[in-house]
Amino acid sequence: MKIIGLTCCLLIGFTAANYAQTTHPGVGAEEERAKGLQKQLNLTDNQTEKIAAINKETLEHCEKMKKTAHGDSNKMSKGIRSLRTATIKKVRSVLTPDQAAKYDVLVKHTKNAGLNDCVSAIY
């Protein structure tokens, strides 16, 4: 009976490990965020593609900053703030005035969230 219980626990453990996240948390975030904005702001497919490209560029730049700072969040915070500001400006240039107003509300709600995080630098 103990062997059956142990076997079941191992099977559950291996199954859970198989479904565990295996990629870096930032991988794919640019498309996910762009698709999220598409739903929230009623973006066209063209706008969504442009925003995904902006997000990808931002994440690449942020990862370079992270390597340069060796992961030190104090060193990165100022750079991420300026990167976030630049990213917001680029995204706004793709949006219509109505979409930009809605986007500003979203940005305001995430203003202080995760300023040392590369994924949060997207917006």
Side-chain angles (χ1 to χ4, degrees):
M1 194 66 168
K2 289 182 182 180
I3 292 176
I4 293 173
L6 179 62
T7 304
C8 287
C9 288
L10 286 173
L11 182 61
I12 291 170
F14 287 131
T15 303
N18 187 40
Y19 286 104
Q21 182 177 358
T22 58
T23 60
H24 185 275
V27 174
E30 60 274 7
E31 288 90 7
E32 291 175 25
R33 295 269 175 129
K35 287 180 183 180
L37 281 180
Q38 183 178 29
K39 291 176 184 175
Q40 292 174 315
L41 304 177
N42 298 320
L43 302 177
T44 65
D45 290 338
N46 187 30
Q47 287 175 311
T48 305
E49 289 174 14
K50 288 179 182 179
I51 290 173
I54 292 167
N55 293 346
K56 184 177 181 181
E57 177 186 328
T58 299
L59 283 175
E60 288 172 357
H61 188 75
C62 192
E63 289 299 323
K64 288 178 187 176
M65 286 180 8
K66 186 184 271 187
K67 286 180 183 177
T68 302
H70 304 291
D72 184 354
S73 60
N74 291 329
K75 290 180 182 178
M76 290 177 50
S77 65
K78 186 176 182 179
I80 288 178
R81 281 190 182 104
S82 63
L83 179 61
R84 184 173 189 263
T85 302
T87 301
I88 291 168
K89 185 177 180 180
K90 288 178 187 177
V91 169
R92 286 188 94 250
S93 71
V94 174
L95 304 175
T96 66
D98 289 339
Q99 291 169 334
K102 291 178 185 177
Y103 179 69
D104 290 340
V105 171
L106 293 173
V107 169
K108 184 178 180 181
H109 288 290
T110 60
K111 184 176 182 180
N112 295 319
L115 287 176
N116 296 328
D117 180 15
C118 287
V119 175
S120 296
I122 293 176
Y123 65 80

